[in-house]
Amino acid sequence: MGLFGLFGGSKTVELDKVKSDENKNRIREIFDNKVDNGSEYKIVYAYSEDIGGANFAVLRTVSYKYRSFILGYRENDLSLVFLEVSPDLNQVGEALVYRPQDVKKTNFTKLVGSYYLQYGSSFKKEYFNFFVPETIDEIVNHDWYDEDTFTYIDQREEHNGWVDFWNKFCR
């Protein structure tokens, strides 16, 4: 990003629409095959950033792990499904389903574009931060971007539907 990136100097990326559309079609196919009644859900691409660290006597380390998800949402019962996928869309994990009654707390931090979901019991609180990028610029402008870390996808049309759903889910 550099010093000037801090002041809104991010570059505009020319969209490879064919590549983005191929990935959109692929995530739809994966989701429909892996999730019961998958075609009833609208979907978007999401990713999470897990930050880990360790302190040694004179050394401190910080590590970042990124995970990619197909995020499905259904308005009629406010279901939210996270399906972990590899960035190249060749490997798929298990689907995790959340409904408002399963969630303790939700939030959206506009400054960083981060969504927050807390679930679990009062004794064992579990939480999850994730990002739903709207444009390819929001992914590619990360200094650490590479195609082994993130899926190449532009979601301008899908993003507004996601935001509307999230606002209903959070009530």
Side-chain angles (χ1 to χ4, degrees), residues 11-106:
K11 61 184 177 188
T12 301
V13 177
E14 186 173 329
L15 173 63
D16 182 345
K17 185 150 176 52
V18 172
K19 184 176 185 178
S20 177
D21 288 347
E22 286 173 356
N23 284 338
K24 283 182 190 180
N25 291 336
R26 180 75 180 120
I27 67 171
R28 171 48 72 189
E29 177 185 320
I30 292 168
F31 194 84
D32 289 355
N33 288 333
K34 191 70 175 177
V35 176
D36 291 338
N37 302 314
S39 61
E40 295 176 5
Y41 290 82
K42 295 178 182 175
I43 59 172
V44 291
Y45 168 75
Y47 68 91
S48 71
E49 175 183 68
D50 300 325
I51 302 172
N55 287 319
F56 301 102
V58 293
L59 177 67
R60 179 171 182 197
T61 63
V62 177
S63 63
Y64 298 91
K65 179 183 175 189
Y66 296 95
R67 298 177 1 192
S68 292
F69 297 91
I70 302 171
L71 181 54
Y73 59 96
R74 187 168 55 190
E75 304 252 351
N76 63 357
D77 64 353
L78 294 179
S79 295
L80 185 61
V81 177
F82 286 88
L83 181 61
E84 188 169 1
V85 294
S86 61
D88 63 4
L89 305 175
N90 287 326
Q91 297 176 356
V92 182
E94 295 301 314
L96 301 172
V97 180
Y98 298 97
R99 291 188 178 81
Q101 61 267 24
D102 304 327
V103 175
K104 303 288 183 209
K105 184 177 178 183
T106 58

Side-chain angles (χ1 to χ4, degrees), residues 111-155:
L111 183 63
V112 293
S114 174
Y115 296 89
Y116 174 82
L117 191 68
Q118 181 181 320
Y119 54 96
S121 68
S122 57
F123 295 110
K124 184 180 179 191
K125 291 182 181 171
E126 299 180 69
Y127 64 92
F128 186 62
N129 278 329
F130 60 98
F131 304 85
V132 178
E134 181 175 2
T135 65
I136 194 63
D137 297 2
E138 293 177 18
I139 300 172
V140 175
N141 274 321
H142 292 310
D143 282 341
W144 56 89
Y145 170 78
D146 64 40
E147 292 190 21
D148 294 332
T149 308
F150 299 100
T151 302
Y152 187 96
I153 197 162
D154 191 270
Q155 309 180 113

